[in-house]
Coordinates of all heavy atoms in Angstrom, one line a residue:
Q1 N 103.3 92.1 111.1 CA 102.4 92.9 110.3 C 103.1 94.0 109.5 O 102.5 94.6 108.7 CB 101.4 93.6 111.2 CG 100.6 92.4 111.9 CD 100.1 92.9 113.2 OE1 100.9 93.4 114.1 NE2 98.8 92.6 113.5
I2 N 104.4 94.1 109.7 CA 105.1 95.2 109.0 C 105.8 94.6 107.8 O 106.4 93.4 107.9 CB 106.2 95.8 110.0 CG1 105.6 96.4 111.1 CG2 107.2 96.8 109.2 CD1 104.8 97.7 111.0
R3 N 106.0 95.4 106.7 CA 106.8 95.0 105.6 C 107.9 95.8 105.5 O 107.9 97.1 105.5 CB 105.9 95.0 104.4 CG 104.8 94.1 104.3 CD 105.2 92.7 104.3 NE 104.2 91.7 104.5 CZ 104.0 91.0 105.7 NH1 104.9 91.1 106.6 NH2 103.0 90.2 105.8
L4 N 109.1 95.3 105.3 CA 110.4 96.1 105.2 C 111.1 95.6 103.9 O 111.3 94.3 103.8 CB 111.4 95.8 106.4 CG 112.8 96.4 106.3 CD1 112.7 97.9 106.2 CD2 113.6 95.8 107.5
A5 N 111.6 96.5 103.1 CA 112.3 96.3 101.9 C 113.5 97.2 102.0 O 113.5 98.4 102.4 CB 111.6 96.5 100.8
G6 N 114.7 96.6 101.6 CA 115.9 97.4 101.7 C 117.0 97.0 100.6 O 117.1 95.8 100.3
L7 N 117.7 98.0 100.1 CA 118.7 97.7 99.1 C 119.7 98.8 99.2 O 119.4 100.0 99.2 CB 118.0 97.7 97.7 CG 118.9 97.4 96.5 CD1 119.5 96.1 96.7 CD2 118.3 97.6 95.2
E8 N 120.9 98.4 99.5 CA 122.2 99.3 99.7 C 121.9 100.3 100.6 O 122.3 101.6 100.3 CB 122.5 99.7 98.2 CG 122.9 98.7 97.3 CD 123.2 99.1 95.9 OE1 123.1 100.4 95.7 OE2 123.6 98.3 95.1
G9 N 121.3 100.1 101.8 CA 121.0 101.1 102.7 C 119.9 102.0 102.6 O 119.8 103.1 103.2
N10 N 119.0 101.7 101.6 CA 117.7 102.5 101.3 C 116.7 101.7 101.8 O 116.7 100.4 101.5 CB 117.7 102.9 99.9 CG 118.8 103.8 99.4 OD1 119.2 104.7 100.2 ND2 119.4 103.5 98.3
Y11 N 115.7 102.2 102.5 CA 114.6 101.3 103.2 C 113.2 101.8 102.8 O 113.1 103.1 102.7 CB 114.9 101.3 104.7 CG 116.2 100.7 105.2 CD1 117.2 101.6 105.4 CD2 116.4 99.5 105.3 CE1 118.5 101.2 105.8 CE2 117.6 98.9 105.6 CZ 118.6 99.8 106.0 OH 119.8 99.4 106.2
E12 N 112.4 101.0 102.7 CA 111.0 101.2 102.6 C 110.2 100.4 103.6 O 110.4 99.2 103.7 CB 110.5 100.9 101.2 CG 109.0 101.4 100.9 CD 108.6 101.2 99.5 OE1 109.1 101.9 98.7 OE2 107.8 100.3 99.3
V13 N 109.3 101.0 104.3 CA 108.6 100.3 105.4 C 107.1 100.5 105.1 O 106.6 101.7 104.8 CB 108.9 101.0 106.8 CG1 108.2 100.3 107.8 CG2 110.4 100.9 107.1
A14 N 106.3 99.5 105.2 CA 104.9 99.5 105.0 C 104.3 99.1 106.4 O 104.5 98.0 107.0 CB 104.4 98.6 104.0
I15 N 103.4 100.0 106.9 CA 102.8 99.8 108.2 C 101.3 99.9 107.9 O 100.7 100.9 107.5 CB 103.1 100.9 109.2 CG1 104.6 101.0 109.4 CG2 102.4 100.6 110.6 CD1 105.1 102.2 110.1
P16 N 100.5 98.8 108.3 CA 99.0 98.9 108.0 C 98.4 100.0 108.9 O 98.8 100.2 110.1 CB 98.6 97.5 108.5 CG 99.8 96.6 108.4 CD 101.0 97.5 108.7
L17 N 97.5 100.8 108.2 CA 96.8 101.8 109.0 C 96.1 101.4 110.2 O 96.0 102.0 111.2 CB 95.9 102.6 108.0 CG 96.7 103.3 106.8 CD1 95.6 103.9 105.8 CD2 97.6 104.4 107.4
S18 N 95.7 100.1 110.2 CA 94.9 99.6 111.3 C 95.7 99.5 112.5 O 95.2 99.6 113.6 CB 94.3 98.2 110.9 OG 95.3 97.2 110.6
I19 N 97.0 99.1 112.3 CA 97.9 99.2 113.5 C 98.1 100.5 114.1 O 98.1 100.7 115.4 CB 99.4 98.7 113.1 CG1 99.3 97.2 112.8 CG2 100.3 98.8 114.2 CD1 100.5 96.6 112.2
L20 N 98.1 101.6 113.2 CA 98.2 102.9 113.8 C 96.9 103.5 114.3 O 96.9 104.6 114.8 CB 98.8 103.8 112.7 CG 100.2 103.4 112.3 CD1 100.7 104.4 111.1 CD2 101.3 103.6 113.4
R21 N 95.8 102.7 113.9 CA 94.5 103.3 114.2 C 94.3 104.6 113.5 O 93.7 105.5 114.1 CB 94.2 103.3 115.6 CG 94.3 102.0 116.2 CD 94.2 101.9 117.7 NE 94.3 100.5 118.1 CZ 94.7 100.1 119.4 NH1 94.8 101.1 120.4 NH2 94.9 98.9 119.8
L22 N 94.8 104.8 112.3 CA 94.8 106.1 111.6 C 93.8 106.0 110.4 O 93.8 104.9 109.7 CB 96.2 106.2 111.0 CG 96.5 107.5 110.2 CD1 96.2 108.8 111.1 CD2 97.8 107.5 109.5
K23 N 93.0 107.0 110.4 CA 92.0 107.1 109.3 C 92.3 108.3 108.4 O 91.8 109.4 108.7 CB 90.6 107.1 109.9 CG 90.2 105.8 110.5 CD 88.9 105.9 111.2 CE 88.6 104.5 111.8 NZ 88.2 104.6 113.1
P24 N 93.2 108.1 107.5 CA 93.6 109.4 106.7 C 92.4 109.9 105.8 O 91.6 109.0 105.4 CB 94.7 108.9 105.8 CG 94.6 107.4 105.7 CD 93.8 107.0 107.0
A25 N 92.4 111.1 105.8 CA 91.3 111.8 105.0 C 92.0 113.0 104.2 O 93.0 113.5 104.7 CB 90.2 112.3 105.8
D26 N 91.5 113.4 103.2 CA 91.9 114.6 102.4 C 92.0 115.8 103.2 O 91.1 116.0 103.9 CB 91.1 114.8 101.2 CG 91.8 115.8 100.2 OD1 93.0 115.9 100.1 OD2 91.0 116.5 99.6
M27 N 93.2 116.3 103.4 CA 93.4 117.6 104.1 C 93.6 117.3 105.6 O 93.7 118.3 106.5 CB 92.5 118.7 103.9 CG 92.1 119.0 102.4 SD 93.8 119.6 101.5 CE 94.1 121.0 102.3
L28 N 93.8 116.0 106.0 CA 94.0 115.7 107.5 C 95.5 116.1 107.7 O 96.4 115.8 106.9 CB 93.8 114.2 107.7 CG 94.1 113.6 109.1 CD1 93.1 114.3 110.1 CD2 94.2 112.2 109.0
S29 N 95.7 116.6 108.9 CA 96.9 117.0 109.4 C 97.1 116.4 110.8 O 96.2 116.6 111.7 CB 97.3 118.6 109.5 OG 97.3 119.0 108.1
V30 N 98.2 115.7 111.0 CA 98.5 115.2 112.4 C 100.0 115.4 112.7 O 100.8 115.5 111.8 CB 98.2 113.6 112.5 CG1 96.8 113.3 112.3 CG2 99.1 112.8 111.5
K31 N 100.3 115.5 113.9 CA 101.7 115.6 114.4 C 102.3 114.3 114.2 O 101.9 113.3 114.3 CB 101.7 116.0 115.9 CG 101.0 117.4 116.2 CD 101.8 118.6 115.8 CE 102.9 118.8 116.7 NZ 103.7 120.1 116.5
G32 N 103.7 114.4 114.0 CA 104.5 113.3 113.8 C 106.1 113.6 113.6 O 106.4 114.8 113.4

């Protein structure tokens, strides 16, 4: 379910919000 892209040691990861059970909203703050 994860997408990983990398080039020359630089990485981009995409994680579906459904996996995290995260519902982002404007001005939402969470610890991490």
Side-chain angles (χ1 to χ4, degrees):
Q1 296 152 313
I2 299 290
R3 296 293 168 252
L4 172 68
L7 182 64
E8 298 177 359
N10 300 317
Y11 301 95
E12 184 175 291
V13 180
I15 305 167
L17 294 174
S18 60
I19 290 175
L20 296 175
R21 300 175 184 160
L22 179 63
K23 295 180 176 130
D26 193 28
M27 306 306 292
L28 173 69
S29 295
V30 297
K31 299 285 283 188

